[in-house]
Amino acid sequence: MNQIEIISENSNCTAINVGSMDKWNEYSIIFPISRREVKGKIFLKDATQATGTEISLNSLPPKAELPDFHFHKKNEETYIILRGSGLFLVDDDSFPIEEGSVIRVAPEGKRCITNTSDSEMLFICIQSKAGSLEEYTIDDGEQVSIKGVES
Ligand code: ZN
């Protein structure tokens, strides 16, 4: 499957399925300005109708690197490495990454990832406006009782 499937949708929820992680490499996007096609990238904002984050699911082939170093104007990014290993580069710094690595990069940090391994690298990138988080973890939650469930 390389089509995003809508599982459920209502005024408070959009649920989708992008398929197995092993099939993420079948997706591709075309960047609007450069018209360049990038394979193995799934953006989720439009599909989920998210308003505070842009999340991408990414597959980087063996011995490949992201198409370019880039930075952002307003958004920080957090990369979560799910599979594979390689090098993360930020400005003049580079360090090894592997399954379980989590890297936050400030907007102005020029970043790139190189997959140095012989297997595919899978990672999630979460993009959100730097400094926008006000309440978080449990501070922003409100508990409610669920209909029909005794508490
Ligand atoms: Zn980015």
Side-chain angles (χ1 to χ4, degrees):
M1 181 176 80
N2 60 2
Q3 288 288 322
I4 295 174
E5 174 192 355
I6 296 173
I7 302 168
S8 181
E9 200 168 23
N10 65 49
S11 59
N12 286 326
C13 171
T14 304
I16 64 166
N17 189 330
V18 300
S20 162
M21 292 197 301
D22 294 325
K23 303 277 188 173
W24 288 0
N25 57 11
E26 295 178 7
Y27 283 84
S28 68
I29 61 147
I30 296 174
F31 280 101
I33 295 171
S34 66
R35 305 300 303 159
R36 185 175 52 185
E37 181 182 27
V38 176
K39 294 184 190 282
K41 194 168 198 63
I42 313 166
F43 281 117
L44 300 180
K45 184 187 86 54
D46 291 341
T48 62
Q49 300 177 44
T51 63
T53 55
E54 171 66 286
I55 299 173
S56 64
L57 308 176
N58 299 270
S59 164
L60 194 58
K63 306 292 185 193
E65 62 181 19
L66 291 184
D68 49 25
F69 269 88
H70 73 284
F71 68 96
H72 284 261
K73 295 174 208 153
K74 297 178 181 172
N75 297 336
E76 67 179 12
E77 288 183 320
T78 299
Y79 294 78
I80 303 170
I81 311 303
L82 303 176
R83 185 185 293 167
S85 60
L87 282 175
F88 200 99
L89 303 98
V90 184
D91 302 320
D92 296 327
D93 194 13
S94 79
F95 47 88
I97 54 171
E98 61 184 1
E99 182 176 320
S101 298
V102 179
I103 310 99
R104 183 209 56 99
V105 186
E108 54 273 16
K110 297 173 197 69
R111 74 220 54 186
C112 194
I113 295 178
T114 300
N115 180 359
T116 57
S117 75
D118 293 324
S119 56
E120 181 183 39
M121 178 184 282
L122 297 174
F123 65 93
I124 297 172
C125 181
I126 302 168
Q127 187 181 132
S128 56
K129 187 173 180 183
S132 66
L133 194 58
E134 294 175 349
E135 295 177 324
Y136 48 88
T137 317
I138 58 172
D139 291 338
D140 194 52
E142 290 286 340
Q143 195 164 17
V144 295
S145 60
I146 300 170
K147 276 185 261 177
V149 176
E150 297 293 324
S151 57

